[in-house]
Amino acid sequence: MPNFHLLLVSMLAGAAEAAVSSAEKKEMLELHNMYRCMAGVPALKWDVTLAKQAQSWADTGKTEHSTSRGAFSKYGENMHMGCPSDTPKTATEWWYAEIKKYSTTSYYQSSHYTQMVWAGSTKIGCGKGKAPCGGDLWFCQFTKIGNWNMPGSLAAYVIAPTKSMAEAKAGKCAAPPRLYSSNVPNVGFAQSSAMLGAAAFFALTAFFMVAAGFRRWQARRVATLGSSEGYELEPPEAGESLD
């Protein structure tokens, strides 16, 4: 009998974890990374711990954020529900559509979009529950948490897309953003090597030019001294001092 109870608990736990199918997990991750690719920010990785947390909250049936468990303090969170059903595509499209409301001075009207593309976030995990209308209720959690509105953080971590959706789907991602300074050029290794090589060449050229100039000066000095040694001094007049 105890074994039966353990089996039942295990089956229920497995059912809860399986609320998000492997196909939905793959689609949710790919869609997020497609939008991030358009902006050139690093791709997210699926995190099992975040997924379990999100699923645990989705299983409560609550249609509110999991702030009591750490949403917006320990992790970021996006929520969406749809009836009669909701898919990763409809959820992510709704979140990303907030880009039209985005402002560098405030993210409050576009916080779902900004969390999706937040450059500092690296992990995602999602859970799916039942919406009150009988449809689906999605919760996606992110770390590192996004949407911290310190001076300059929005401009640094929310990068405007420079690639089309078609280019992103083809893997043609935008160039990585400069996160901390807009004054420092984003120079690659090959460019850096070329710059160092050029600097070394000019330094070496300057050295040889200085050395050649010194040798010419030295030659002239020797010639001048040689000429002065050939001069004959007139004998001093009577009573003239040599001092």
Side-chain angles (χ1 to χ4, degrees):
M1 198 68 174
N3 290 336
F4 174 75
H5 286 159
L6 290 174
L7 178 62
L8 181 60
V9 169
S10 177
M11 290 175 63
L12 290 173
E17 291 179 4
V20 177
S21 68
S22 57
E24 288 174 322
K25 166 189 167 182
K26 182 175 182 291
E27 184 181 16
M28 185 67 84
L29 184 62
E30 287 180 348
L31 287 169
H32 273 80
N33 286 336
M34 176 191 72
Y35 289 122
R36 293 172 70 86
C37 175
M38 290 164 64
V41 297
L44 297 172
K45 293 182 179 180
W46 190 267
D47 186 80
V48 175
T49 301
L50 289 175
K52 287 182 178 179
Q53 285 181 181
Q55 187 57 57
S56 174
W57 183 252
D59 289 339
T60 66
K62 295 181 179 180
T63 57
E64 59 190 50
H65 285 290
S66 61
T67 50
S68 60
R69 298 188 179 184
F72 314 125
S73 60
K74 297 178 181 178
Y75 51 84
E77 186 173 79
N78 280 351
M79 178 181 72
H80 188 260
M81 65 178 175
C83 299
S85 64
D86 199 20
T87 67
K89 186 175 186 295
T90 54
T92 53
E93 283 181 345
W94 192 87
W95 291 332
Y96 192 78
E98 289 182 353
I99 188 175
K100 299 173 183 177
K101 306 175 185 177
Y102 174 67
S103 166
T104 54
T105 57
S106 174
Y107 63 84
Y108 297 107
Q109 301 300 316
S110 57
S111 59
H112 298 93
Y113 155 70
T114 52
Q115 176 59 86
M116 286 181 75
V117 300
W118 194 265
S121 297
T122 58
K123 298 177 182 179
I124 183 177
C126 303
K128 184 178 71 171
K130 281 295 180 184
C133 61
D136 301 308
L137 175 62
W138 282 95
F139 289 93
C140 286
Q141 297 179 356
F142 305 80
T143 57
K144 297 177 179 179
I145 183 173
N147 292 337
W148 39 277
N149 191 15
M150 294 178 69
S153 65
L154 291 179
Y157 288 94
V158 182
I159 314 299
T162 57
K163 294 291 184 179
S164 67
M165 189 178 295
E167 288 175 313
K169 287 180 178 178
K172 299 177 181 179
C173 300
R178 306 184 194 108
L179 293 184
Y180 300 107
S181 175
S182 59
N183 297 320
V184 180
N186 191 9
V187 180
F189 175 76
Q191 291 171 300
S192 299
S193 299
M195 291 169 65
L196 289 173
F201 171 77
F202 286 119
L204 193 61
T205 301
F207 170 78
F208 281 117
M209 289 178 66
V210 171
F214 175 75
R215 293 186 65 182
R216 286 195 297 271
W217 174 84
Q218 191 177 39
R220 287 197 301 270
R221 177 66 174 165
V222 169
T224 301
L225 290 174
S227 299
S228 64
E229 288 176 357
Y231 289 154
E232 293 184 2
L233 298 177
E234 295 182 358
E237 298 290 338
E240 183 180 0
S241 173
L242 292 175
D243 293 337

